[in-house]
Amino acid sequence: MTKNIRIHLADDHQIIIHGIQTLLHTVPNFKVVGSSLNGTTIFDDVTNNHADVLVLDISMPEKDGIEVVKEFAEKGFPCKVIILSSYDDLKLIKEIMDLGVSGYLTKQCAGDNIIEAVHAVSNGEEYFCESIRAKIFTNATKNNPKLSTYKPNVNPLLTEREIEIIILIALEYSGKEISEELFISINTVETHRKNIMKKLKARNTIGIVKYAMNNHLIIS
């Protein structure tokens, strides 16, 4: 039996809450258990209703989303947090992710990605919408002369994130460096590495590097 995922929504516009709730209600095991229109009550709200996931607008009245996340970090996170924001500034995103947030979506892509994001963070993964993930990766690899611009037909079993990890491994980034550059945990990096090796039937990191070179993901 599929476990229900309890979700709390926090936004200062009731119409936004209603729109997200309508989307989430299309998934049988998603249950919206509450909502907040300002930041001051959010910690108590999600603690009392035992939410598994909080979808949090960063621009909240009285106490903004960053202050709410800092409160969570100080008191102990009662749930996973997905930030909704109009901002795509990487410095801001890194600051928020370093506080223990699990996901970050721009409001422009929330409608397309919110269901996938809730599933991902519920499974212990970090989640970024595609535009944010692409911007983070581009920043991590900028000015690297070995990065190829060629876009080959790679193994269809590989996800976009796994392809990025393969490229960074081939560019000699350590696990810690990948974690820092992509704003994800070292455990997530290692999970990706294991999945990549399994999909590529690679015995070690050398096999991953060879794959990157043979498929022109990097310039040898």
Side-chain angles (χ1 to χ4, degrees), residues 137 144-152 167 215-219:
F137 179 74
N144 194 309
K146 295 184 72 176
L147 180 66
S148 174
T149 57
Y150 180 65
K151 301 297 180 185
I167 291 170
N215 287 275
H216 309 289
L217 296 175
I218 65 166
I219 299 170

Side-chain angles (χ1 to χ4, degrees), residues 31-42:
K31 182 178 177 63
V32 176
V33 294
S35 62
S36 304
L37 292 171
N38 69 71
T40 57
T41 65
I42 292 175

Side-chain angles (χ1 to χ4, degrees), residues 11-87:
D11 195 288
D12 60 336
H13 294 95
Q14 187 64 52
I15 191 170
I16 300 295
I17 291 176
H18 178 72
I20 295 173
Q21 183 171 328
T22 300
L23 280 171
L24 295 175
H25 277 170
T26 64
V27 182
N29 68 314
F30 284 7
K31 182 178 177 63
V32 176
V33 294
S35 62
S36 304
L37 292 171
N38 69 71
T40 57
T41 65
I42 292 175
F43 185 87
D44 289 338
D45 290 342
V46 300
T47 301
N48 291 334
N49 63 29
H50 306 289
D52 302 303
V53 177
L54 166 66
V55 179
L56 171 64
D57 182 6
I58 202 169
S59 300
M60 295 291 290
E62 299 186 43
K63 181 182 288 187
D64 67 29
I66 295 178
E67 291 177 297
V68 171
V69 173
K70 286 179 178 178
E71 180 182 9
F72 279 29
E74 290 169 1
K75 295 181 178 179
F77 277 77
C79 62
K80 304 286 185 180
V81 179
I82 298 171
I83 290 291
L84 284 182
S85 176
S86 301
Y87 308 108

